Amino acid sequence: MSALTASWSKSKTTQRRLRDALAYTLLAVGFVWFIFPLFWVIMGSLKTFEDFNQIPLRTFPSALYFGNYPSAWTSVPFGRYFINTAIIVSLSVVGELISASIVGFGFSRLKFWGRNFLFMVLLSTMMLPFWVVIIPRFLLYRDIGWVGTWLPLIVPSYFANPVYVFLMRQFFMTLPPELDDAAKIDGCNELGIFWRILLPLTKPALATIAIFSFINVWTDFVKQVIYLSQDSTYTVAIGLAFLRWQIAQGDPVPGLLMAATVFTSLPMIAIFFIGQKYMVRGIALTGRTGT
Amino acid sequence: MQSPRTVASNISWARLRPHIVGWAFISPWLVSFSFLMVYPFIASFVLSFTRYQLIGEAEFIGFENIQRMLFEDERVADSLRVTFTYVLLTVPAGTAISILVAILLNQHVRGIPFFRTSFYMPSVIGGVGLALLWTTILAKNGPVNAALGLVGIEGPNWLFDTAWALPSLALKALATAGAAMLIILAALQGVPQHLYEAVDLDGGGEWAKFWHVTLPQISPAIFYNVIVTTIGVMQSFVEAFIMTNGGPGTSTLFYGLYLYRQAFEFYRMGYASALAWMMFLIILALTIVNFRVARYWVYYEGEE
């Protein structure tokens, strides 16, 4: 009897070990698939021009060469582009946070005529293709003199992005309704309930929105390229595109392009490491990635 | 003592108040919904029947744009072919990869948070940065061809080869399956444990668990992903704009890129609006088909 149990449990451990080995093999394949491109670019940014023409191709640079970074930084005015992007991004994030929390509160904690219908409408607008609305929006902004400025990139953030409203609503719904009732008895009106009672509890959701909107605005190349037309207003993404086209026309300096890719991706990677927890939570809460 | 009239108005105010407050709270969205959604949606429909080059007045030309788009402009058919091919290359494979990777990340082995972080990271970089990153990976003397060289295959010049440029962009898209993966992973972690115990009691193995519990339970998340990625991929732009500029030839001329060129390089706002509306109708049709097909494979709790 005991021998039987022992052999059974032994085969169970073998099975378990096999499974683990398989899992680690596949995880390693996945790791190479997802991370190798990043690794390659970091290594490439430290290579000299000669390194790229070596046969066979080497992954590691012959010596650590940092010269690509200053050349890339000055080949297009990245300093100014970083400041511009930082201004656009921070003003947009503030707008998304304010408007999504106000509207999300309305859709989750208040009862009013048309609420459910309007919420369905809000959800369906998330499926509307961007290209269908872009031309009249462009003409609208042109007519009020906003094309060429940052305003078309920033101002809409203050009028509630449906994706973030949805996230805030889902989060508000997890908070117990007794909070509102208690505050009402204490003489709070809706604004008080929102501002003093519930908003302080939504910090994790606000963090999620801040991170998603930071990443989305930073990488939103299409709008930037459509609305901006002067060098003094350009963004990091546009700078990168310039670099790409310069190189496509002239001598290819792959190291320079790679260095630029690295330092323009750093803010994303930094924010990702700081806020990963909130991103994963936001995805679990809404079942979408916030993009 | 109050007059009956003030009592009445007090009552109606008390009745109205919550509705007014509610509408006040959602008013920021009502503004953007009206001016940035409804108005442009209708305006682009109207613009479709005009010629408008940004200067002067829009000129009504009836069905000229639509006729040109459907029957005369070969680029439209080219770009639709490219875009549909791209959808077919990326959506099924991307869905499969994200499911596999999510299941992998749901295993109880050490180091999962590390792998999850690494798998998701490329999706975060996004946009132009990621496009450039893959431009260097797929260069003629890049690492992909070096790896192929090791097994004796001479790799093509990926992004400059008519046959390989579109598959190259698809390859890049599959490296960002990390975002969809996290959605499926969240769904996997929400599968009630007792369902697996029920399979155990019935003597079912791992395969039965996957087929009869896991897959039906995560099917709504998979479905949602298919919908969202199809809509997203149909609108692709940046990859082609940065990596290939639509070329070589028209081999990577995405519909979105063609629309962008018509609107913001040639300033044919009327024609571009017609193109945009056709994109809307195609995406709507695809979404409806997706919902129809979903009846056969998506499982919703409480349905028989």
Side-chain angles (χ1 to χ4, degrees):
Chain A
M1 182 70 197
S2 70
L4 196 69
T5 325
S7 88
W8 180 81
S9 80
K10 196 178 171 192
S11 85
K12 199 83 182 165
T13 19
T14 331
Q15 210 187 357
R16 166 101 214 146
R17 274 196 192 138
L18 266 172
R19 267 185 70 145
D20 284 5
L22 182 68
Y24 278 119
T25 315
L26 291 173
L27 283 168
V29 172
F31 182 75
V32 172
W33 170 248
F34 287 108
I35 284 297
F36 178 77
L38 282 176
F39 177 73
W40 174 262
V41 163
I42 293 169
M43 287 302 125
S45 72
L46 301 168
K47 284 177 186 169
T48 61
F49 189 69
E50 287 74 38
D51 281 344
F52 282 99
N53 294 324
Q54 275 188 346
I55 295 170
L57 189 65
R58 283 206 255 148
T59 306
F60 294 95
S62 54
L64 292 183
Y65 169 69
F66 291 97
N68 291 318
Y69 282 88
S71 340
W73 183 261
T74 49
S75 60
V76 265
F78 270 117
R80 189 200 299 149
Y81 295 171
F82 262 91
I83 294 170
N84 290 349
T85 314
I87 295 170
I88 295 169
V89 167
S90 46
L91 290 174
S92 299
V93 169
V94 169
E96 301 287 13
L97 290 175
I98 296 171
S99 59
S101 55
I102 292 174
V103 177
F105 174 83
F107 274 121
S108 56
R109 311 298 278 201
L110 302 176
K111 288 199 177 77
F112 51 90
W113 289 320
R115 182 183 77 168
N116 293 345
F117 172 74
L118 286 173
F119 191 69
M120 287 299 293
V121 172
L122 179 135
L123 289 182
S124 63
T125 60
M126 297 200 287
M127 304 245 176
L128 193 70
F130 162 81
W131 293 106
V132 181
V133 289
I134 188 63
I135 291 165
R137 275 189 197 174
F138 176 85
L139 298 174
L140 181 74
Y141 291 135
R142 183 200 60 171
D143 291 342
I144 55 176
W146 283 10
V147 167
T149 73
W150 293 334
L151 292 171
L153 304 173
I154 297 169
V155 173
S157 314
Y158 288 80
F159 294 91
N161 181 328
V163 177
Y164 306 135
V165 170
F166 179 53
L167 196 147
M168 279 314 285
R169 175 194 180 260
Q170 297 305 92
F171 194 85
F172 275 124
M173 306 250 282
T174 64
L175 303 175
E178 290 78 21
L179 287 172
D180 305 35
D181 300 337
K184 243 177 245 168
I185 291 164
D186 291 346
C188 257
N189 61 12
E190 290 83 354
L191 204 60
I193 297 172
F194 166 69
W195 185 253
R196 273 184 274 153
I197 315 290
L198 294 185
L199 200 59
L201 300 173
T202 61
K203 276 181 197 146
L206 293 175
T208 308
I209 294 175
I211 293 159
F212 279 136
S213 57
F214 181 98
I215 293 173
N216 288 341
V217 179
W218 191 285
T219 55
D220 186 5
F221 177 68
V222 187
K223 280 198 209 115
Q224 294 167 4
V225 89
I226 285 174
Y227 291 123
L228 303 180
S229 51
Q230 284 160 359
D231 188 54
S232 60
T233 59
Y234 283 161
T235 58
V236 170
I238 294 181
L240 261 184
F242 273 148
L243 205 60
R244 159 78 178 139
W245 293 321
Q246 270 181 23
I247 283 171
Q249 278 156 11
D251 274 340
V253 187
L256 195 132
L257 197 61
M258 291 180 175
T261 308
V262 171
F263 66 67
T264 54
S265 302
L266 279 180
M268 299 305 109
I269 292 174
I271 204 101
F272 172 66
F273 275 111
I274 298 165
Q276 203 202 150
K277 186 178 76 180
Y278 295 107
M279 298 172 82
V280 173
R281 233 190 255 169
I283 290 167
L285 189 68
T286 58
R288 50 180 301 146
T289 47
T291 47
Chain B
M1 178 115 175
Q2 285 180 311
S3 75
R5 189 167 239 177
T6 32
V7 173
S9 81
N10 278 344
I11 288 168
S12 73
W13 167 244
R15 278 212 188 136
L16 275 176
R17 195 184 169 281
H19 304 293
I20 293 170
V21 171
W23 280 68
F25 267 94
I26 64 163
S27 59
W29 173 70
L30 291 172
V31 170
S32 64
F33 175 65
S34 317
F35 291 98
L36 300 178
M37 288 284 178
V38 177
Y39 161 72
F41 184 64
I42 297 166
S44 69
F45 182 77
V46 174
L47 275 171
S48 301
F49 300 95
T50 66
R51 181 183 295 121
Y52 183 48
Q53 302 258 40
L54 279 187
I55 21 178
E57 291 280 305
E59 178 196 348
F60 182 77
I61 54 166
F63 287 87
E64 216 174 282
N65 286 330
I66 288 111
Q67 190 187 345
R68 185 167 147 215
M69 172 173 81
L70 294 178
F71 305 112
E72 289 157 27
D73 188 348
E74 285 172 22
R75 289 280 173 279
V76 174
D78 288 340
S79 63
L80 278 176
R81 202 176 308 122
V82 168
T83 309
F84 284 133
T85 312
Y86 189 60
V87 169
L88 289 176
L89 286 175
T90 54
V91 175
T95 308
I97 290 179
S98 58
I99 296 170
L100 284 176
V101 175
I103 290 170
L104 200 54
L105 288 179
N106 203 30
Q107 301 302 309
H108 299 283
V109 293
R110 276 165 197 273
I112 287 299
F114 167 77
F115 287 109
R116 191 186 61 200
T117 302
S118 350
F119 292 4
Y120 187 34
M121 198 139 69
S123 322
V124 176
I125 294 171
V128 182
L130 196 72
L132 285 186
L133 202 155
W134 275 85
T135 308
T136 60
I137 297 291
L138 294 164
K140 177 82 180 107
N141 55 353
V144 172
N145 281 351
L148 288 176
L150 291 180
V151 288
I153 302 170
E154 197 192 332
N157 194 356
W158 298 93
L159 294 171
F160 297 92
D161 186 311
T162 319
W164 286 106
L166 193 61
S168 302
L169 298 191
L171 196 69
K172 178 243 164 199
L174 295 181
T176 51
M181 164 206 91
L182 281 192
I183 295 175
I184 306 222
L185 183 60
L188 276 175
Q189 287 166 349
V191 178
Q193 213 52 43
H194 69 84
L195 294 177
Y196 291 117
E197 287 155 16
V199 179
D200 275 334
L201 286 179
D202 290 348
E206 291 296 311
W207 186 245
K209 280 183 192 169
F210 177 73
W211 198 247
H212 296 295
V213 176
T214 312
L215 218 46
Q217 287 284 320
I218 64 171
S219 62
I222 299 172
F223 173 59
Y224 174 79
N225 255 314
V226 170
I227 294 274
V228 171
T229 44
T230 307
I231 295 176
V233 172
M234 281 295 299
Q235 304 184 65
S236 298
F237 167 78
V238 176
E239 297 84 349
F241 192 68
I242 295 294
M243 294 170 74
T244 58
N245 201 16
T250 56
S251 61
T252 58
L253 183 66
F254 288 153
Y255 195 81
L257 180 61
Y258 189 61
L259 199 165
Y260 170 85
R261 284 183 181 165
Q262 289 299 326
F264 299 105
E265 283 176 15
F266 306 123
Y267 302 112
R268 294 180 188 137
M269 294 298 172
Y271 188 52
S273 296
L275 288 170
W277 253 81
M278 184 156 85
M279 178 193 263
F280 166 70
L281 293 176
I282 291 171
I283 287 178
L284 184 69
L286 282 178
T287 309
I288 291 171
V289 169
N290 261 327
F291 269 97
R292 284 279 159 82
V293 176
R295 287 184 199 156
Y296 300 99
W297 67 274
V298 179
Y299 169 86
Y300 286 105
E301 207 82 45
E303 260 181 29
E304 272 307 304

